[in-house]
Amino acid sequence: MAEIPKIVLPHGGYKKLIVYRKSDVVYEGTVLFCRRFLPAHGDRTVDQMTQAARSCKQNIAEGSSASGTSKETELKLTNVARATLDELMEDYLDYLKSHQLQEWPRGDKRAVYARDFAKEHNDWVDWKEILETRPAETVANLMLTLCNQTSYMLGRMIERQEADFKKLGGVRERMHAARTAARGEEFEKGLYSRLDAAKSAEELGEILAGLREKLNRTAWSIKRKRGWA
């Protein structure tokens, strides 16, 4: 007997995801960066950066929660998370340019160290002291490195979500599949009950003959309707 497909899929648990934990560091680090290096009032960049960082984190969380019923929604929200992260990286690059500070080249030993550190450290407690004490250029480059790694992970997540959507479809498709499977299960149970009610081998044969006759009449009707007979 075929298993009835699940309508609501496993979902949530986003706080355990490394990409979510990194996005949380991105948010906390951005709030700290703005507080340390940007004016407290009169600079719209502060709102732009903190909102972009928060949007990345929140969209990962909302996408994870929505994935149980809508893989499409999960995919859209993950794309939004990545887009807002790209926007945030542009703000960090603009800061470096406008303050005549250097974006570390990829082969620079500082950039290599930053990438290695970011790969191994995913929680705010690992980053807090560094980001509180280093100069603006260092902090901006560390945040860019972290954002780049988080963006890469979101890209891989989007690929997996696209594959899941192709395989599992939307909630309406799963509901239809579940209803179809449930009707088939009910039919099988009803058929078994009729046959199981037979009191003898002869009666079982009579029930089978009756079922065959009904099936033959139904098949003939379908053939006539479709012009096959």
Side-chain angles (χ1 to χ4, degrees):
M1 190 175 295
E3 183 180 353
I4 298 177
K6 291 183 178 180
I7 296 174
V8 179
L9 301 171
H11 58 285
Y14 61 87
K15 289 186 178 181
K16 296 178 182 178
L17 297 174
I18 292 178
V19 69
Y20 175 80
R21 289 159 58 191
K22 284 186 180 295
S23 73
D24 186 57
V25 179
V26 168
Y27 172 70
E28 295 290 349
T30 298
V31 171
L32 179 60
F33 179 88
C34 292
R35 187 169 68 243
R36 289 189 64 197
F37 304 117
L38 292 174
H41 304 287
D43 189 342
R44 292 184 59 190
T45 306
V46 173
D47 287 339
Q48 290 173 190
M49 292 181 71
T50 54
Q51 285 302 315
R54 183 180 184 277
S55 177
C56 176
K57 180 168 75 86
Q58 292 301 109
N59 277 289
I60 294 172
E62 291 175 24
S64 176
S65 298
S67 66
T69 54
S70 178
K71 288 294 178 183
E72 181 181 3
T73 299
E74 178 189 34
L75 181 56
K76 287 180 179 177
L77 290 172
T78 307
N79 268 301
V80 172
R82 194 182 190 196
T84 57
L85 196 58
D86 290 343
E87 178 186 334
L88 179 62
M89 285 191 282
E90 284 298 314
D91 286 327
Y92 278 113
L93 289 171
D94 288 343
Y95 179 88
L96 289 172
K97 291 175 184 176
S98 63
H99 289 78
Q100 291 79 50
L101 300 174
Q102 183 187 22
E103 177 191 358
W104 295 341
R106 184 170 180 79
D108 189 292
K109 63 180 182 180
R110 295 169 297 178
V112 173
Y113 173 81
R115 287 197 298 273
D116 291 341
F117 185 86
K119 285 178 183 177
E120 299 297 326
H121 298 85
N122 306 311
D123 299 299
W124 176 236
V125 67
D126 302 321
W127 290 79
K128 186 174 184 292
E129 183 179 354
I130 294 173
L131 299 181
E132 283 179 336
T133 56
R134 300 302 193 273
E137 180 179 291
T138 301
V139 176
N141 276 282
L142 287 172
M143 292 303 297
L144 279 167
T145 301
L146 181 61
C147 286
N148 268 308
Q149 289 189 6
T150 306
S151 180
Y152 173 79
M153 294 182 71
L154 286 171
R156 296 295 298 274
M157 180 181 284
I158 288 167
E159 291 175 1
R160 291 194 298 270
Q161 290 171 357
E162 287 176 343
D164 286 345
F165 180 72
K166 292 174 184 176
K167 179 180 178 181
L168 301 171
V171 66
R172 291 186 179 180
E173 292 168 290
R174 295 198 299 276
M175 289 173 69
H176 175 72
R179 285 196 299 269
T180 301
R183 285 196 293 267
E185 185 179 78
E186 289 171 4
F187 176 79
E188 289 181 23
K189 287 180 179 178
L191 180 61
Y192 180 86
S193 296
R194 288 189 63 185
L195 295 172
D196 192 51
K199 299 296 190 296
S200 64
E202 291 76 13
E203 186 177 353
L204 179 61
E206 291 174 3
I207 296 172
L208 280 171
L211 289 170
R212 290 193 190 98
E213 184 178 349
K214 287 183 179 180
L215 285 171
N216 286 334
R217 287 201 301 268
T218 301
W220 176 250
S221 175
I222 291 172
K223 286 180 180 180
R224 289 184 61 187
K225 179 181 178 181
R226 299 188 180 181
W228 298 343

